[in-house]
Amino acid sequence: MLLEGIETLLVLAEEGTMSRTGSRLYISQSAVSKRIAKLEATLGTKLIIPAGRLIKLTPDAHALIKNVGPSFNEVRGLIFEHQNLDDQSIITLDCSETLVAGYLANALGTYFQKDKYISITTHHTPVIVENVQSGKASIGFCAGHLPAQYNFVAEHLMDEPFKLVFNQPLTALPKAIVVNDLKNPSNISQAAVLQKLGITPLMEMDSYTASAQLALAGMAPALVPQSIVKTLSIDDKYCFEFTELAELTRPIYLIYRQNSYKQPRVKNLVETITNLFT
Protein backbone atom coordinates (compact mmCIF):
# COMPACT_ATOMS: atom_id res chain seq x y z
CA MET A 1 0.00 0.00 0.00
CA LEU A 2 2.90 2.34 0.72
CA LEU A 3 4.36 1.85 -2.77
CA GLU A 4 0.91 2.34 -4.28
CA GLY A 5 0.56 5.64 -2.44
CA ILE A 6 3.98 6.85 -3.54
CA GLU A 7 3.22 5.96 -7.16
CA THR A 8 -0.02 7.93 -6.94
CA LEU A 9 1.75 10.95 -5.44
CA LEU A 10 4.37 10.89 -8.21
CA VAL A 11 1.70 10.86 -10.92
CA LEU A 12 -0.31 13.55 -9.11
CA ALA A 13 2.77 15.77 -9.04
CA GLU A 14 2.98 15.51 -12.84
CA GLU A 15 -0.73 15.76 -13.67
CA GLY A 16 -1.84 18.37 -11.14
CA THR A 17 -5.41 17.12 -10.67
CA MET A 18 -7.09 14.09 -9.12
CA SER A 19 -9.09 13.39 -12.27
CA ARG A 20 -6.08 13.35 -14.64
CA THR A 21 -4.15 11.25 -12.14
CA GLY A 22 -7.01 8.75 -11.98
CA SER A 23 -7.19 8.57 -15.77
CA ARG A 24 -3.48 7.86 -16.03
CA LEU A 25 -3.58 5.17 -13.33
CA TYR A 26 -6.90 3.72 -14.58
CA ILE A 27 -8.58 4.27 -11.22
CA SER A 28 -11.37 6.59 -10.05
CA GLN A 29 -10.82 10.08 -8.68
CA SER A 30 -12.03 8.94 -5.27
CA ALA A 31 -9.49 6.08 -5.32
CA VAL A 32 -6.71 8.61 -5.95
CA SER A 33 -7.90 10.65 -2.98
CA LYS A 34 -8.04 7.56 -0.73
CA ARG A 35 -4.52 6.50 -1.72
CA ILE A 36 -3.10 9.93 -0.91
CA ALA A 37 -5.01 10.03 2.40
CA LYS A 38 -3.60 6.63 3.39
CA LEU A 39 -0.08 7.76 2.47
CA GLU A 40 -0.50 10.92 4.57
CA ALA A 41 -1.75 8.83 7.50
CA THR A 42 1.18 6.42 7.18
CA LEU A 43 3.76 9.20 7.04
CA GLY A 44 2.00 11.43 9.55
CA THR A 45 2.26 14.54 7.39
CA LYS A 46 0.16 16.59 4.98
CA LEU A 47 1.14 16.08 1.33
CA ILE A 48 -1.43 18.00 -0.72
CA ILE A 49 -3.49 21.17 -0.46
CA PRO A 50 -6.53 21.86 -2.69
CA ALA A 51 -6.03 24.91 -4.91
CA GLY A 52 -9.23 25.28 -6.91
CA ARG A 53 -9.37 22.53 -9.51
CA LEU A 54 -5.66 21.86 -9.07
CA ILE A 55 -3.73 20.21 -6.28
CA LYS A 56 -0.78 21.96 -4.62
CA LEU A 57 1.98 19.86 -3.09
CA THR A 58 3.28 20.69 0.37
CA PRO A 59 7.02 21.11 1.07
CA ASP A 60 6.98 17.63 2.65
CA ALA A 61 5.54 16.19 -0.56
CA HIS A 62 8.22 17.87 -2.67
CA ALA A 63 10.93 16.53 -0.33
CA LEU A 64 9.48 13.00 -0.49
CA ILE A 65 9.33 13.06 -4.29
CA LYS A 66 12.91 14.35 -4.54
CA ASN A 67 14.28 11.69 -2.18
CA VAL A 68 12.14 8.69 -3.10
CA GLY A 69 11.06 9.27 -6.72
CA PRO A 70 14.23 8.14 -8.54
CA SER A 71 14.68 5.07 -6.33
CA PHE A 72 11.02 4.13 -6.67
CA ASN A 73 11.20 4.23 -10.46
CA GLU A 74 14.40 2.21 -10.46
CA VAL A 75 12.89 -0.47 -8.20
CA ARG A 76 9.80 -0.62 -10.40
CA GLY A 77 12.04 -0.97 -13.45
CA LEU A 78 14.01 -3.81 -11.87
CA ILE A 79 10.79 -5.65 -11.04
CA PHE A 80 9.65 -5.16 -14.62
CA GLU A 81 12.87 -6.69 -15.93
CA HIS A 82 12.10 -9.95 -14.12
CA GLN A 83 8.70 -10.37 -15.76
CA ASN A 84 8.57 -12.94 -18.53
CA LEU A 85 6.71 -11.86 -21.66
CA ASP A 86 4.63 -14.58 -23.23
CA ASP A 87 3.12 -14.38 -26.70
CA GLN A 88 0.14 -12.37 -25.43
CA SER A 89 1.87 -10.02 -22.99
CA ILE A 90 1.50 -6.36 -23.93
CA ILE A 91 4.69 -4.65 -25.10
CA THR A 92 4.40 -0.88 -24.71
CA LEU A 93 6.21 1.36 -27.18
CA ASP A 94 6.25 4.95 -25.90
CA CYS A 95 6.93 7.46 -28.67
CA SER A 96 7.17 11.07 -29.63
CA GLU A 97 3.98 11.80 -31.57
CA THR A 98 5.87 13.43 -34.45
CA LEU A 99 8.32 10.54 -34.74
CA VAL A 100 5.80 7.71 -34.72
CA ALA A 101 3.75 9.54 -37.36
CA GLY A 102 6.74 10.42 -39.52
CA TYR A 103 8.83 7.27 -39.35
CA LEU A 104 7.01 4.29 -37.82
CA ALA A 105 3.36 4.31 -38.88
CA ASN A 106 3.65 2.13 -41.99
CA ALA A 107 6.20 -0.26 -40.49
CA LEU A 108 4.19 -0.73 -37.30
CA GLY A 109 1.02 -1.30 -39.27
CA THR A 110 2.74 -4.21 -40.97
CA TYR A 111 4.40 -5.42 -37.75
CA PHE A 112 1.04 -5.45 -35.94
CA GLN A 113 -0.19 -8.12 -38.32
CA LYS A 114 2.26 -10.63 -36.83
CA ASP A 115 2.27 -9.37 -33.23
CA LYS A 116 -1.05 -7.83 -32.16
CA TYR A 117 -0.01 -7.37 -28.53
CA ILE A 118 1.80 -4.08 -29.09
CA SER A 119 0.54 -0.92 -27.39
CA ILE A 120 1.71 2.51 -28.59
CA THR A 121 1.59 5.57 -26.33
CA THR A 122 2.77 9.11 -27.08
CA HIS A 123 4.50 11.54 -24.71
CA HIS A 124 7.23 14.16 -24.63
CA THR A 125 10.82 12.94 -24.14
CA PRO A 126 11.08 13.40 -20.32
CA VAL A 127 8.01 11.19 -19.77
CA ILE A 128 9.24 8.59 -22.28
CA VAL A 129 12.57 8.39 -20.44
CA GLU A 130 10.81 8.03 -17.10
CA ASN A 131 8.48 5.35 -18.45
CA VAL A 132 11.35 3.24 -19.80
CA GLN A 133 13.37 3.63 -16.62
CA SER A 134 10.39 2.61 -14.48
CA GLY A 135 9.28 -0.25 -16.71
CA LYS A 136 5.98 1.36 -17.72
CA ALA A 137 7.22 1.12 -21.30
CA SER A 138 9.37 -1.62 -22.79
CA ILE A 139 10.78 0.64 -25.52
CA GLY A 140 10.99 4.40 -26.01
CA PHE A 141 11.32 6.27 -29.32
CA CYS A 142 12.20 9.87 -28.57
CA ALA A 143 13.95 13.01 -29.76
CA GLY A 144 16.20 15.48 -28.00
CA HIS A 145 18.96 15.30 -25.43
CA LEU A 146 18.79 12.54 -22.83
CA PRO A 147 19.60 13.08 -19.13
CA ALA A 148 23.27 12.96 -18.14
CA GLN A 149 22.77 9.71 -16.25
CA TYR A 150 20.42 6.91 -17.22
CA ASN A 151 20.15 3.16 -16.73
CA PHE A 152 19.02 2.01 -20.15
CA VAL A 153 20.46 1.38 -23.60
CA ALA A 154 20.18 4.38 -25.94
CA GLU A 155 20.64 3.73 -29.65
CA HIS A 156 21.27 6.92 -31.62
CA LEU A 157 19.33 6.47 -34.86
CA MET A 158 19.83 9.80 -36.61
CA ASP A 159 20.01 13.58 -36.24
CA GLU A 160 16.74 14.86 -37.64
CA PRO A 161 16.99 18.06 -39.70
CA PHE A 162 14.55 20.97 -39.56
CA LYS A 163 13.11 23.05 -42.36
CA LEU A 164 11.49 26.44 -42.46
CA VAL A 165 7.94 26.08 -43.74
CA PHE A 166 6.03 29.02 -45.21
CA ASN A 167 3.46 29.60 -47.95
CA GLN A 168 5.53 32.39 -49.51
CA PRO A 169 9.07 32.32 -50.96
CA LEU A 170 11.87 32.88 -48.44
CA THR A 171 15.02 34.37 -49.97
CA ALA A 172 16.61 35.34 -46.64
CA LEU A 173 16.42 34.30 -43.02
CA PRO A 174 13.23 35.66 -41.47
CA LYS A 175 13.44 37.90 -38.41
CA ALA A 176 10.72 36.02 -36.52
CA ILE A 177 9.45 32.44 -36.72
CA VAL A 178 7.02 30.08 -35.05
CA VAL A 179 8.80 27.45 -32.95
CA ASN A 180 7.83 24.69 -30.57
CA ASP A 181 8.27 24.90 -26.82
CA LEU A 182 11.92 25.86 -26.32
CA LYS A 183 11.87 24.43 -22.78
CA ASN A 184 11.21 20.98 -24.17
CA PRO A 185 14.44 18.88 -24.14
CA SER A 186 13.91 18.18 -27.85
CA ASN A 187 14.20 21.89 -28.62
CA ILE A 188 16.12 23.48 -25.76
CA SER A 189 19.35 23.89 -27.75
CA GLN A 190 17.52 25.87 -30.44
CA ALA A 191 17.16 29.01 -28.32
CA ALA A 192 20.87 29.88 -28.36
CA VAL A 193 21.14 29.35 -32.12
CA LEU A 194 18.13 31.54 -32.85
CA GLN A 195 19.42 34.24 -30.51
CA LYS A 196 22.82 34.18 -32.23
CA LEU A 197 21.14 34.64 -35.61
CA GLY A 198 18.90 37.42 -34.35
CA ILE A 199 15.71 35.43 -34.97
CA THR A 200 12.84 36.05 -32.57
CA PRO A 201 10.60 33.14 -31.48
CA LEU A 202 7.27 34.70 -32.45
CA MET A 203 5.18 31.96 -30.82
CA GLU A 204 6.03 28.76 -28.94
CA MET A 205 3.59 25.98 -29.81
CA ASP A 206 3.14 22.53 -28.31
CA SER A 207 2.36 20.90 -31.66
CA TYR A 208 4.53 20.86 -34.76
CA THR A 209 1.45 20.10 -36.80
CA ALA A 210 -0.15 23.32 -35.58
CA SER A 211 3.06 25.26 -36.30
CA ALA A 212 3.20 23.91 -39.85
CA GLN A 213 -0.45 24.62 -40.54
CA LEU A 214 -0.11 28.21 -39.29
CA ALA A 215 2.90 28.68 -41.57
CA LEU A 216 1.07 27.24 -44.56
CA ALA A 217 -1.80 29.63 -43.81
CA GLY A 218 0.61 32.57 -43.98
CA MET A 219 0.86 33.43 -40.28
CA ALA A 220 4.67 33.29 -40.17
CA PRO A 221 7.49 30.90 -41.14
CA ALA A 222 7.70 27.89 -38.81
CA LEU A 223 10.60 25.68 -37.82
CA VAL A 224 9.39 22.15 -38.53
CA PRO A 225 11.20 18.79 -38.26
CA GLN A 226 11.55 16.48 -41.24
CA SER A 227 9.10 13.96 -39.72
CA ILE A 228 6.25 16.49 -39.79
CA VAL A 229 7.10 17.60 -43.34
CA LYS A 230 6.85 13.94 -44.31
CA THR A 231 3.67 13.24 -42.33
CA LEU A 232 1.80 16.25 -43.71
CA SER A 233 3.22 15.75 -47.23
CA ILE A 234 4.25 19.40 -47.36
CA ASP A 235 5.28 20.33 -50.89
CA ASP A 236 8.96 21.14 -51.43
CA LYS A 237 8.03 24.61 -52.67
CA TYR A 238 6.93 25.49 -49.14
CA CYS A 239 10.09 24.12 -47.47
CA PHE A 240 13.25 26.21 -47.16
CA GLU A 241 16.76 25.45 -45.92
CA PHE A 242 19.47 27.92 -44.89
CA THR A 243 23.09 27.08 -44.12
CA GLU A 244 22.89 29.13 -40.94
CA LEU A 245 20.19 26.79 -39.60
CA ALA A 246 22.01 23.55 -40.42
CA GLU A 247 22.96 22.95 -36.77
CA LEU A 248 19.30 22.97 -35.74
CA THR A 249 18.90 19.21 -35.64
CA ARG A 250 17.55 16.95 -32.92
CA PRO A 251 18.98 13.53 -32.07
CA ILE A 252 16.57 10.61 -32.29
CA TYR A 253 17.00 7.66 -29.95
CA LEU A 254 15.53 4.23 -29.39
CA ILE A 255 15.83 3.42 -25.68
CA TYR A 256 15.19 0.24 -23.70
CA ARG A 257 16.40 -1.57 -20.60
CA GLN A 258 19.18 -4.07 -21.24
CA ASN A 259 17.36 -7.00 -19.67
CA SER A 260 14.19 -6.22 -21.62
CA TYR A 261 16.17 -6.73 -24.82
CA LYS A 262 16.71 -10.35 -23.79
CA GLN A 263 13.00 -10.95 -24.37
CA PRO A 264 12.67 -12.23 -27.99
CA ARG A 265 9.57 -10.13 -28.77
CA VAL A 266 11.17 -6.94 -27.47
CA LYS A 267 14.36 -7.71 -29.40
CA ASN A 268 12.40 -8.28 -32.62
CA LEU A 269 10.57 -4.97 -32.27
CA VAL A 270 13.79 -3.08 -31.48
CA GLU A 271 15.53 -4.55 -34.52
CA THR A 272 12.53 -3.78 -36.76
CA ILE A 273 12.70 -0.09 -35.78
CA THR A 274 16.48 0.27 -35.96
CA ASN A 275 16.51 -1.34 -39.41
CA LEU A 276 14.35 1.54 -40.67
CA PHE A 277 17.29 3.89 -40.08
CA THR A 278 20.13 1.78 -41.52
Side-chain angles (χ1 to χ4, degrees), residues 146-208:
L146 300 176
Q149 295 182 335
Y150 51 81
N151 54 1
F152 49 75
V153 177
E155 292 194 41
H156 177 237
L157 301 179
M158 67 176 291
D159 289 314
E160 184 179 38
F162 282 78
K163 297 180 184 293
L164 281 178
V165 172
F166 199 36
N167 72 341
Q168 302 168 32
L170 291 176
T171 57
L173 280 175
K175 295 297 183 183
I177 62 174
V178 177
V179 299
N180 268 44
D181 183 8
L182 295 178
K183 296 181 290 295
N184 185 310
S186 297
N187 312 318
I188 196 168
S189 62
Q190 295 177 2
V193 177
L194 296 177
Q195 184 178 27
K196 180 179 65 176
L197 295 172
I199 299 175
T200 301
L202 185 62
M203 290 179 279
E204 293 188 35
M205 309 294 290
D206 191 50
S207 165
Y208 279 117

Side-chain angles (χ1 to χ4, degrees), residues 238-257:
Y238 300 127
C239 299
F240 305 91
E241 299 179 26
F242 294 90
T243 303
E244 297 91 332
L245 298 179
E247 61 183 301
L248 288 180
T249 63
R250 60 177 186 168
I252 295 178
Y253 294 98
L254 194 65
I255 63 177
Y256 49 88
R257 298 181 70 97

Side-chain angles (χ1 to χ4, degrees), residues 2 37 40 44 61 69-70 89 100 106 128 151 165-166 180 184 195 201 208 216 222 224 245 247 264 266 275:
L2 182 62
E40 289 179 328
S89 297
V100 70
N106 290 335
I128 295 173
N151 54 1
V165 172
F166 199 36
N180 268 44
N184 185 310
Q195 184 178 27
Y208 279 117
L216 293 172
V224 177
L245 298 179
E247 61 183 301
V266 172
N275 286 341

Side-chain angles (χ1 to χ4, degrees), residues 123-140:
H123 292 101
H124 290 313
T125 296
V127 177
I128 295 173
V129 168
E130 177 189 320
N131 286 345
V132 171
Q133 290 191 135
S134 66
K136 292 180 182 178
S138 302
I139 305 169

Side-chain angles (χ1 to χ4, degrees), residues 97-110:
E97 181 181 2
T98 60
L99 297 183
V100 70
Y103 297 113
L104 298 190
N106 290 335
L108 289 180
T110 302

